[in-house]
């Protein structure tokens, strides 16, 4: 039986079922690379404090270096490797490669700080993949927006036809959300780049190590300032959950819009075969499963966020084993949100547009009601009065199921005496979006400008 990190005061081993219940190696093995890096930094602190001899430090450095290489190569943790947790695993491997020095490495440190450090390092290690995924989706939406800056569709409020916008304008709304998500992600990483190393089990480290130097070695910007807080703090986990959950929620809202837009009822978008699935029964079906899963994963991400908050609520200081439960949902959320970003980019890059169906929908004259009222305003009518006048026009058009622009001149003159009929007849979806040519507006110019801006920001590193 491999050695544990504890056991001296026990006369009996843990019950078999409890041991299984309590192990975390099956999921915290992901932290192995971080555990090795943290151990190296701790070893150097101990050597500087005179606890480890130069030879012992060399033995530990060599052992940890080999282990790091094996982890990077994917050969460790080996499939059959068994341990209580990742900390025990690294200890056991070090015992084999560095001998007794491995026992000295436990001086002054506790798994309570180790796991707090490992989690922080692990999340920081995800940064390149997340940056790439954010960039990929931002670029996919910017490209889509540029290509479809002039494909006009009805914009909705209350899911009722409201005013004309373009497919490009719609996509860039989500790009804005994603830019904020990326900013939150980066800020979250910035806040968690703090080293708890040197906190011990809860009260700090008696062997005067250089905590600042260890933090620098780990490329962490700061050291924690209170050892109790440092071992019990999982705020950063909750914060990353929030970023993942909100990102997932944005993807879910986008997915819902695109599910609608690609349905036969709308017919504006055609999803590629690569991101759709068939039905085992109905041969005609091509279902938007990728989008539906983006919507579904959002529930999971939100659930994980709730779980992280519930885990912390009411926990007494400092470390409690409850905290072991923080890992599975965190890994799950990191994986699911990252995959979601990539899938959304794939769906976007491969989607086709049915310009004729978009034009047919955008051609609904109700979308021009506001523009008609604006024409009256330009003719000196107070907006409130114009609103009432146009309301009558719309109600009559609905009753007759006709396009007010086609009404006889006399009828237009009767209902809208302030306007020349040719001005009314010139109203169109294209003219409507073109008028909204201020910053943030739906005009093709603005959409193209925003797409270029998003593409530029997508490439920007912090
Ligand atoms: N596996 C534990 C965790 O994930 C390790 C932390 C310390 N364990 C302990 N019994 N003090 O939180």
């Amino acid at each position: 039986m491999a050695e544990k990190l504890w056991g001296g005061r026990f006369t009996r081993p843990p019950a078999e079922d409890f041991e299984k219940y309590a192990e975390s190696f099956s999921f915290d093995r992901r932290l192995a690379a971080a555990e090795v890096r943290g151990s190296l930094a701790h070893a150097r602190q101990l050597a500087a404090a005179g606890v480890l001899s130069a030879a012992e430090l060399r033995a530990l450095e060599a052992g940890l270096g080999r282990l790091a290489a094996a982890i990077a190569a994917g050969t460790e943790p080996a499939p059959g490797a068994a341990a209580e947790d990742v900390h025990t695993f690294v200890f056991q491997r070090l015992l084999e490669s560095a001998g007794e020095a491995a026992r000295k490495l436990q001086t002054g440190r506790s798994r309570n700080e180790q796991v707090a450090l490992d989690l922080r390092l692990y999340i920081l290690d995800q940064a390149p993949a997340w940056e790439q995924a954010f960039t990929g989706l931002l670029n996919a939406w910017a490209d889509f927006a540029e290509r479809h800056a002039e494909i006009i569709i009805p914009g909705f409020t209350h899911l009722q036809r409201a005013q004309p916008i373009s497919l490009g304008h719609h996509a860039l709304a989500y790009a804005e959300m994603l830019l904020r998500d990326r900013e939150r992600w980066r800020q979250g990483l910035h806040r968690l780049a703090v080293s708890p190393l040197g906190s011990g089990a809860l009260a700090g480290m008696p062997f005067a190590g250089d905590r600042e130097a260890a933090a620098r070695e780990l490329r962490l910007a700061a050291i924690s300032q209170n050892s109790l807080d440092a071992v019990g703090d999982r705020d950063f986990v909750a914060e990353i959950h929030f970023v993942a959950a909100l990102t997932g929620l944005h993807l879910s809202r986008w997915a819902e819009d695109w599910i609608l837009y690609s349905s036969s009822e709308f017919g504006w978008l055609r999803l590629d075969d690569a991101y759709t699935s068939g039905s085992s029964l109905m041969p005609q079906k091509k279902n938007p499963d990728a989008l539906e899963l983006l919507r579904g994963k959002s529930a999971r991400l939100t659930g994980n966020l709730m779980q992280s908050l519930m885990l912390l609520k009411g926990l007494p200081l400092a470390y409690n084993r409850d905290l072991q439960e923080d890992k599975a949902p965190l890994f799950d959320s990191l994986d699911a949100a990252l995959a979601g970003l990539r899938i959304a980019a794939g769906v976007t890059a491969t989607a086709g547009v049915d310009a004729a169906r978009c034009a047919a929908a955008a051609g609904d004259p109700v979308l021009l009601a506001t523009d008609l009222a604006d024409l009256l305003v330009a003719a000196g009518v107070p907006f409130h009065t114009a609103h009432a006048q146009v309301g009558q026009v719309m109600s009559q058009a609905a009753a007759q199921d006709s396009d007010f622009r086609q009404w006889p001149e006399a009828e237009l003159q009767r209902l809208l005496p302030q306007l020349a009929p040719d001005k009314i007849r010139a109203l169109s979806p294209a003219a409507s979006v073109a008028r909204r040519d201020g910053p943030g507006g739906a005009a093709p110019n603005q959409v193209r400008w925003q797409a270029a801006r998003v593409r530029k920001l997508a490439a920007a590193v912090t």
Side-chain angles (χ1 to χ4, degrees), residues 2-6 25 35 82-94 111 114:
E3 248 183 277
K4 282 193 176 47
L5 284 168
W6 51 273
F25 190 53
E35 174 71 13
E84 181 185 344
D85 56 26
V86 69
H87 322 289
T88 309
F89 165 76
V90 170
F91 169 67
Q92 289 166 353
R93 285 289 187 270
L94 265 186
R111 286 180 291 170
Q114 287 167 243

Side-chain angles (χ1 to χ4, degrees), residues 24 28 85 87 111-112 115 319 321 323-324 327:
S24 56
D28 70 13
D85 56 26
H87 322 289
R111 286 180 291 170
N112 302 352
V115 73
Y319 178 85
R321 190 66 177 268
L323 289 177
Q324 180 164 298
K327 273 160 231 58

Side-chain angles (χ1 to χ4, degrees), residues 28-280:
D28 70 13
R29 54 201 297 143
R30 282 199 198 208
L31 301 175
E35 174 71 13
V36 167
R37 262 147 61 210
S39 297
L40 209 47
H42 180 65
R44 290 179 181 145
Q45 274 199 84
L46 288 179
V51 177
L52 290 176
S53 69
E56 286 166 333
L57 177 62
R58 270 199 305 279
L60 288 171
E61 283 176 337
L64 287 166
R66 274 196 299 276
L67 191 49
I71 292 165
T75 52
E76 284 283 16
E84 181 185 344
D85 56 26
V86 69
H87 322 289
T88 309
F89 165 76
V90 170
F91 169 67
Q92 289 166 353
R93 285 289 187 270
L94 265 186
L95 260 186
E96 292 160 17
S97 64
E100 287 303 294
R103 296 188 198 282
K104 287 201 174 177
L105 183 59
Q106 294 313 111
T107 313
R109 76 169 178 170
S110 154
R111 286 180 291 170
N112 302 352
E113 62 174 330
Q114 287 167 243
V115 73
L117 173 66
D118 293 354
L119 273 181
R120 288 169 189 267
L121 294 178
Y122 179 84
I123 296 169
L124 288 166
D125 285 345
Q126 306 305 304
W130 275 66
E131 284 290 334
Q132 215 173 47
F134 276 128
T135 301
L137 182 52
L138 287 168
N139 279 331
W141 279 340
D143 290 349
F144 183 89
E146 200 146 68
R147 273 183 279 132
H148 305 302
E150 298 192 38
I151 299 285
I152 302 176
I153 54 167
F156 302 106
T157 63
H158 313 269
L159 206 52
Q160 305 291 314
R161 286 183 172 172
Q163 291 178 343
I165 57 165
S166 68
L167 272 178
H169 194 56
H170 176 268
L172 289 180
Y174 286 99
E176 287 302 309
M177 297 175 216
L178 200 65
L179 283 168
R180 293 194 294 270
D181 292 331
R182 186 180 68 169
E183 187 176 303
R184 268 185 287 269
W185 163 260
R186 289 174 173 178
Q187 289 171 347
L189 292 196
H190 176 74
R191 259 189 294 283
L192 68 79
V194 173
S195 173
L197 207 60
S199 299
L202 74 163
M205 167 141 145
F207 304 92
D210 186 346
R211 296 192 56 211
E212 298 275 2
R216 273 196 303 278
E217 183 180 331
L218 294 165
R219 288 195 278 150
L220 297 174
I223 59 170
S224 56
Q225 299 295 322
N226 179 295
S227 59
L228 280 181
D229 174 45
V231 293
D233 172 31
R234 294 293 183 276
D235 292 0
F236 63 97
V237 171
E239 204 173 341
I240 290 299
H241 271 297
F242 179 70
V243 174
L246 193 60
T247 303
L249 183 146
H250 291 147
L251 295 181
S252 171
R253 290 184 71 177
W254 170 76
E256 169 61 12
D257 277 350
W258 272 40
I259 288 168
L260 285 174
Y261 297 176
S262 62
S263 67
S264 312
E265 271 59 42
F266 282 72
W268 303 348
L269 297 174
R270 279 187 306 261
L271 302 177
D272 195 85
D273 285 1
Y275 290 98
T276 49
S277 310
S279 157
S280 55

Side-chain angles (χ1 to χ4, degrees), residues 415-428:
L415 287 162
L416 302 160
Q418 305 92 330
L419 297 178
D422 58 330
K423 281 209 162 156
I424 299 170
R425 299 211 159 105
L427 289 174
S428 73

